[in-house]
Amino acid sequence: MKKPTNYKIPEDDFLAMRPEVLAGWPTGQRVDLAEALEYHSSLAAEKNMVNRLQQALKKGETLTQPRAGVALPEELKELLTFLHQEGEADVLPTTIDSYTRQNQYREADRGIEESRHEERSMLNGFPAVNHGVEVCRDVIESIEVPLQVRHGTPDSRLLAEITLAGGFSDFEGGPISYNIPYAKKVSLEKTLRDWQYVDRLVGLYQERGIDINREPFGPLTGTLIPPSTSHAVAILEALLAAEQGVKYLSLGCSQNGNMVQDIAAIDTLEELAEKYLSSEGYSDITISTVFHQWMGGFPQDEAKAYAVISWGAATAALSGATKVIVKTPHEAMGIPTKEANADGLKATKQVVNMMKEQSFDQGEKLDREKQMIRQEVAQILSRVKEIGEGDWCQGVIRSFEAGILDIPFAPSRYNSGRVLPARDNNGAVRYLDSGELPFDSEIMEFHDNKLAERGEFEEREASFQMVIDDIYAIGKGMLIGRPRE
Amino acid sequence: MKKPTNYKIPEDDFLAMRPEVLAGWPTGQRVDLAEALEYHSSLAAEKNMVNRLQQALKKGETLTQPRAGVALPEELKELLTFLHQEGEADVLPTTIDSYTRQNQYREADRGIEESRHEERSMLNGFPAVNHGVEVCRDVIESIEVPLQVRHGTPDSRLLAEITLAGGFSDFEGGPISYNIPYAKKVSLEKTLRDWQYVDRLVGLYQERGIDINREPFGPLTGTLIPPSTSHAVAILEALLAAEQGVKYLSLGCSQNGNMVQDIAAIDTLEELAEKYLSSEGYSDITISTVFHQWMGGFPQDEAKAYAVISWGAATAALSGATKVIVKTPHEAMGIPTKEANADGLKATKQVVNMMKEQSFDQGEKLDREKQMIRQEVAQILSRVKEIGEGDWCQGVIRSFEAGILDIPFAPSRYNSGRVLPARDNNGAVRYLDSGELPFDSEIMEFHDNKLAERGEFEEREASFQMVIDDIYAIGKGMLIGRPRE
Amino acid sequence: MNQNRVPTVVLGVIGADVHAIGNQILEYALDEAGIEAVNIGVMSSQQEFVEAAVETGADAIWVSSLYGHGEMDCRGLRDKCVEAGITDILLYVGGNLVIGKRSWEGVKDLFLDMGYDRAYPPGTRPQEAIDDLWQDLVEQRESKDVVSSLD
Amino acid sequence: MNQNRVPTVVLGVIGADVHAIGNQILEYALDEAGIEAVNIGVMSSQQEFVEAAVETGADAIWVSSLYGHGEMDCRGLRDKCVEAGITDILLYVGGNLVIGKRSWEGVKDLFLDMGYDRAYPPGTRPQEAIDDLWQDLVEQRESKDVVSSLD
Ligand code: B12
Ligand code: B12
């Protein structure tokens, strides 16, 4: 098989690939593109995600969205309705279970059965492939707002076919962001190809007049990811998607906890994505932004969890993100009850509503953070392009091999795992060890100095113990993992 | 009786007044100054509030403090211990019940009895006068951190005598702040005199080497108070206290919800208080600051209440206030259970801990807010001094008569009640009607313009309906009370 | 109730309670609704409520209690009304009536048992009580009409 | 357990679970404690755990499950160990073992009944389990000593 390169799959080639994909599970047979397009046209405009996001962009809203998914459709409808009505969620997800994410549809079937039998969800999400197109449509029809598929599936071709035909108008993930943090042995060659398929499918809908939004998964491993790392990935995935005909993209990252750095992250993400997309010749793309409330370990105490949630909501509002993905007071313990999920949403909504008319002085500190992110992203992406000899697909593959792209704490064996992040003395996330990231000495010194400053303050060397302390910190009530006395 | 003037009560005069005060209720007989001083000296340094506040000032901490008080001492000890241990409160209060606040000691006795009988607190606070010195000391001894008396008592002379002798090292209130928002028919002449007594008593402790902190009640009616109004009152009360020998003062105000304005408020409060104190010749005073989480109507929903609490905590931390007074998720419903009280504290602590190393760009917006507050306070206070012919006591009395001092929504008949506040289009609190406040045209125009801007946006005139909408807004999930569609 | 007269409500905050804001809003809302509002303000005793009601020939008394002592402060108001000869006057009560967050049903029964006609939980919109008032006044008049037609 | 040998623990994350961070920290903590850590990483099957344990002559298997499918994934591991002839190997399990926030006592019993020696709730500090391990190993040795002295 040819190595994947960043070219738009010709429609005929694409259509030739479809039967095999759809044969992956019996429910695939039901998918019919023409009929699906018609179905989308028949849906009210309010149920289309692109429509809702455009509106938010225009009005400067920050929309709230939960994570939520259970094994059975009736329960899913009840859950989503509750989150919309009681939780005041602006847009809704359907989170897919972990078996489906691994294409283990047989295990998912077992999970469905066990869930029916035990009368509680034995799956951590909704196995949309097993349920099939009609069941998805039944869900879509019963909910008043647009739905997005959220998953973490390296090979989501069949999932995309079924859920898009099922009426979903937004699909999360990407070849890097749903591989490196979500898999151990899946090669980037494979995911790059599989996501070209997904993006091409979205492009097909788009070309035929149905707006579908795509959202790379910004947070990656969710834990102390320096903004330039997640930005580089998000922009690469945006470029790859754009090539296949995707027109609407939500790009995001997760809260790190230092407000200035977090605001700088959202600001630059939009700015840089637009810059790269247009300089690469994709000029009619609409970008919205997504801010994830803290994605690492949460405090077990619910009151403290509310604090983390609210602080994330405040940052989202101040950064002007188009959407905020909401955590719940049960986060550290397990998949939330619908009530706990609604509580996270309500707390977020209250803060967003109270902040939406407010803005801050933006001065030197913010400028400096933005400038650092811009430089770091530029240096990473120019090396990626260079090593790929102008091809972004090859660039991604070779960059991960060489550690030019390197995601902290990721389980994938295709990730070199040399980069170590840690917080500086103000809680901003820096590179403690930048591994093989292609940074110049100015950037390296900046990070080294920042961490030396903290080391001095704490009277210890910056080391892996510091990283561990930072991983635990928010769960233990702090932002920075100070040494224990 | 002579009109009150701002002079230091001679010690002999003061001692001559004491017997009558102490005769106010049988427990007064037990108070013995010399013995009380000895008792304070015997207490561990950690139990002294001044000590703790100095430490916080030095380290740049923001201490957390709840409101809490129940009828019976055993329950009070249990409650306070819980709030310290489980709620991680840094310093603790004892909130006094409303009968004691009105010197209705007989009703308080009935409340104690009913509480014993019903086995739940039938009083909204701790009737310290009825319980007396020994019971107070028993409470002090069982708690590891310093305790402050929080009340709302126009005439708190006996309460101060008993609680200070009982080992409390911090006493809240003042002649204006515990009169105008807390009483209907009590004259300022009376409260000015009664608080001279209280401050003189504190001065006596101070002169004899026992540090006692005094805290004017910053929030006043707690609802949409423009910073210059509460600052003017806080500074006046600081000046009056300083004259009587008070050396340690915590000055505060409550959150209004616009972060820039709130930070400006805390910044200028400290700055202006120091300026006025030293220009009036009180140079050895230590000022700390207190930020109250939103003091107006709360959302009933607990998740939303957490959001308001957390947002207040964030503002407190960013403003660098020495202490934050914490609300609870039960606020809209009733006096919180000890668990709910601890929950508010824990959420606050989490935010404060996550924010404490962070700071912001401070630019033009903040400067402008600060500049407005400085000018407004200067204009009010210079009129107060002028109309008092150089005497601050007389200045206060005449200013309230003339509406030069005027507290929105206050129940007192000594308040002219012409001032109406409302939020501008960014949620900052402005003067919709500045009544007789002695502002120059520049200031008036500033406020008018701000409110006109909002009026235009909302397509309605700024009116009392806007004020009502703002009063309800936070309780209904918004900062600004927009017209209903 | 005189058929052509604007109805009159005496309102105030009972006991040692100084919560003034809701009281000011209630007065404004009654005014806007075309009801004569006699506001005796905060810190009002039972006696003051009754006197004001007698003096103004009020149709209803609206008692607020926010600060938690409502249970102790509100007991006995109906008796005082009866003593003063305004036996049938409508008594409404609202606010944060008891100490702490308790189930509303229990609290409501407590106050209805004390002789109040209606009780309102925290967060009640004034309009709700105003609607109730019009309805109660109509019913009262109808039942009086029945009585007088039986004369 | 060989008296002079450094104890060996096989650790990994079971099923389709990719939560890698706790696993990395556990490995580091075991290392620091002077225990040989054989980390088979995330997404490991029961078979992989057993094979690694047999191969390395491990004293214990530490299974992590975070993502909620622990109940389905962990069932049967003890049987597989017995089949593979490592009947007495210590089996510890920890993480967010079930879906949702459930009472820990119930969850613990569920996993002990499945044949695990110890189960740990979310938020367990690695040191706690390391202390338990040392203790369990001593006890195991003592009971083996008793057995061998009876031979
Ligand atoms: C970071 C994170 C992620 C990252 C993981 C990145 C990566 N590859 O590692 C991402 C974003 C990719 C992710 C994905 C998912 N996640 Co996740 N995730 C988390 C989160 C926020 C933190 C986990 C973490 O790193 N903690 C820090 C480490 C140090 O702690 P730890 O993992 O708990 O491990 C410690 C202890 O538990 C203990 N321990 C663990 N195992 C063992 C074993 C033994 C023997 C012992 C002694 C001790 C022990 O020691 C460890 C070290 O101290 C948790 C919630 C939380 N805890 O706040 C959710 C959480 C674990 N995730 C959850 C879920 C459901 C998912 C998803 C299915 C997605 C979803 N619903 O949206 C996918 C699953 C993908 C998959 N196939 O596995 C749920 C699990 C629900 C449940 N059990 O009911 C949680 C609890 C969140 C929630 N409340 O919904 N997640
Ligand atoms: C602002 C406020 C204050 C201000 C009041 C300033 C002033 N003079 O008005 C200050 C700071 C001075 C204050 C003091 C105290 N307060 Co206060 N205060 C509040 C707060 C935050 C808002 C009240 C408010 O203005 N709401 C907005 C208005 C518009 O709403 P409202 O008052 O509820 O009134 C509306 C409805 O209830 C209804 N309504 C009211 N009465 C009636 C009657 C009828 C017939 C009808 C139909 C409807 C109706 O209509 C009104 C208009 O919409 C509330 C908590 C909350 N609600 O969030 C606590 C609260 C009322 N206070 C409380 C307490 C305990 C006190 C203190 C004892 C202090 C303390 N513990 O620290 C003192 C009491 C002093 C005294 N002697 O009364 C408690 C009462 C506890 C309880 N019942 O269990 C509360 C609930 C806070 C709490 N959870 O602890 N307080």
Side-chain angles (χ1 to χ4, degrees), chain B residues 99 124 184 300 302 332-333, chain C residues 40 42 67 73 96 101 122:
Chain B
Y99 292 134
N124 58 10
K184 184 169 154 180
Q300 296 203 2
E302 295 192 18
M333 301 309 290
Chain C
I40 60 171
V42 304
Y67 71 154
D73 293 339
N96 299 75
K101 186 169 180 169

Side-chain angles (χ1 to χ4, degrees), chain A residues 23 47 79 113 125 165 167 177 182 216 265 304 332 337 373 432 438 461 475:
Chain A
K47 297 206 179 186
L79 173 60
E113 266 161 50
S177 64
Y182 279 98
K304 295 187 172 191
T337 57
I373 295 172
L432 168 64
E461 287 294 306

Side-chain angles (χ1 to χ4, degrees), chain A residues 67 95-96 98 101-102 124 151 181-182 217 220-223 295-298 327 330-336 409-411 471-472, chain D residues 16-23 25-26 62-68 92-100 120-126 129:
Chain A
R67 291 186 178 77
T95 300
I96 305 300
S98 289
R101 294 169 184 219
Q102 304 303 322
N124 59 11
H151 45 124
Y182 279 98
F217 177 63
L220 304 175
T221 51
T223 306
M295 285 290 289
F298 248 66
K327 290 270 174 171
H330 283 184
E331 177 63 15
M333 302 308 291
I335 291 190
F409 314 116
I471 289 173
Y472 284 130
Chain D
D17 192 336
V18 301
H19 288 90
I21 294 154
N23 172 261
I25 292 184
L26 285 175
W62 283 20
V63 180
S64 291
S65 178
L66 283 307
Y67 72 154
Y92 290 10
V93 66
N96 298 73
L97 293 172
V98 291
I99 290 189
Y120 297 90
T124 304
R125 277 272 189 182

Side-chain angles (χ1 to χ4, degrees), chain B residues 97-99 102 104 107 110-111 114 118 120-125 181-185 221-223 300 302 329-336 408-411 463-465 468-469 471-472 476 484, chain C residues 13 15-22 24-26 28-29 32 40-45 48 66-73 75 95-102 104 110 121-126:
Chain B
D97 71 291
S98 289
Y99 292 134
Q102 304 304 324
Q104 299 173 350
E107 279 81 352
R110 186 157 59 93
E114 285 203 30
E118 301 258 329
R120 62 188 163 98
S121 184
M122 296 294 287
L123 293 178
N124 58 10
Y182 280 98
K184 184 169 154 180
K185 303 178 188 176
T221 51
T223 305
Q300 296 203 2
E302 295 192 18
H330 284 184
E331 177 63 14
M333 301 309 290
I335 291 192
F409 313 116
S463 70
F464 192 61
Q465 188 56 48
I468 293 183
D469 292 340
I471 289 173
Y472 284 130
K476 300 196 168 295
R484 274 179 292 168
Chain C
V13 187
D17 192 336
V18 301
H19 289 90
I21 294 153
Q24 291 170 37
I25 292 184
L26 286 176
Y28 183 81
E32 291 283 288
I40 60 171
V42 304
M43 301 187 86
S44 296
S45 65
E48 289 169 296
L66 285 307
Y67 71 154
H69 292 181
E71 202 173 337
M72 291 195 280
D73 293 339
R75 221 176 271 145
N96 299 75
L97 293 173
V98 292
I99 289 190
K101 186 169 180 169
R102 275 161 64 186
W104 172 242
L110 185 68
T124 305
R125 277 272 190 181

Side-chain angles (χ1 to χ4, degrees), chain A residues 109-405:
Chain A
D109 252 358
R110 186 157 58 92
I112 294 175
E113 266 161 50
E114 286 203 29
S115 303
R116 290 230 163 82
H117 182 254
E118 302 257 330
E119 292 181 23
R120 62 187 163 99
S121 183
M122 296 294 286
L123 293 177
N124 59 11
F126 183 71
V129 170
N130 296 57
H131 287 306
V133 173
E134 301 306 337
V135 174
C136 287
R137 291 186 182 176
D138 180 38
V139 173
I140 297 284
E141 284 158 28
S142 74
I143 308 298
E144 285 168 22
V145 295
L147 291 185
Q148 179 190 47
V149 185
R150 300 188 73 86
H151 45 124
T153 314
D155 174 5
S156 63
R157 292 170 299 166
L158 182 54
L159 180 66
E161 287 279 11
I162 286 182
T163 52
L164 293 185
F168 285 84
S169 51
D170 195 355
F171 198 80
E172 199 193 27
I176 305 168
S177 64
Y178 268 5
N179 175 350
I180 307 298
Y182 279 98
K184 183 169 156 182
K185 303 177 186 174
V186 181
S187 74
L188 281 160
E189 303 215 348
K190 173 135 178 43
T191 48
L192 283 161
R193 237 191 285 276
D194 291 344
W195 281 89
Q196 283 182 331
Y197 182 101
V198 171
D199 286 330
R200 192 69 192 83
L201 178 63
V202 171
L204 233 59
Y205 275 84
Q206 197 66 56
E207 284 153 20
R208 285 158 178 74
I210 299 302
D211 293 335
I212 304 283
N213 195 61
R214 280 274 294 113
E215 178 179 329
F217 177 63
L220 304 175
T221 51
T223 306
L224 304 175
I225 305 295
S228 55
T229 290
S230 47
H231 282 23
V233 172
I235 293 167
L236 286 166
E237 295 193 340
L239 292 170
L240 299 173
E243 174 64 26
Q244 302 302 326
V246 169
K247 297 291 178 202
Y248 297 96
L249 280 158
S250 300
L251 302 185
C253 61
S254 63
Q255 180 185 23
N256 271 327
N258 175 290
M259 202 167 191
V260 175
Q261 188 180 42
D262 286 333
I263 294 174
I266 287 292
D267 281 1
T268 51
L269 181 51
E270 194 178 355
E271 168 197 315
L272 294 172
E274 265 156 15
K275 189 187 112 185
Y276 280 94
L277 283 165
S278 75
S279 77
E280 295 287 311
Y282 310 108
S283 50
D284 53 348
I285 314 278
T286 304
I287 303 280
S288 52
T289 52
V290 191
F291 188 74
H292 293 251
Q293 290 171 351
W294 172 243
M295 285 290 289
F298 248 66
Q300 296 204 1
D301 182 86
E302 295 191 18
K304 295 187 172 191
Y306 275 116
V308 177
I309 289 168
S310 303
W311 180 233
T315 311
L318 284 171
S319 74
T322 324
K323 186 169 86 173
V324 54
I325 312 268
V326 173
K327 290 270 174 171
T328 83
H330 283 184
E331 177 63 15
M333 302 308 291
I335 291 190
T337 57
K338 64 181 193 307
E339 290 79 13
N341 212 333
D343 284 341
L345 284 162
K346 285 186 288 184
T348 301
K349 188 65 145 239
Q350 176 84 24
V351 173
V352 167
N353 279 343
M354 286 176 62
M355 303 286 305
K356 65 182 171 194
E357 287 96 352
Q358 301 194 36
S359 66
F360 273 74
D361 289 317
Q362 310 207 336
E364 215 186 299
K365 276 183 202 154
L366 184 64
D367 278 350
R368 214 232 340 252
E369 289 299 334
K370 284 163 87 165
Q371 205 41 45
M372 290 312 300
I373 295 172
R374 285 188 196 109
Q375 284 177 37
E376 290 168 21
V377 171
Q379 293 181 15
I380 295 174
L381 290 184
S382 84
R383 267 304 274 149
V384 174
K385 192 160 187 181
E386 195 182 357
I387 204 175
E389 293 164 272
D391 181 81
W392 290 113
C393 277
Q394 285 305 309
V396 166
I397 293 169
R398 293 178 197 159
S399 293
F400 270 101
E401 271 167 18
I404 293 163
L405 292 166

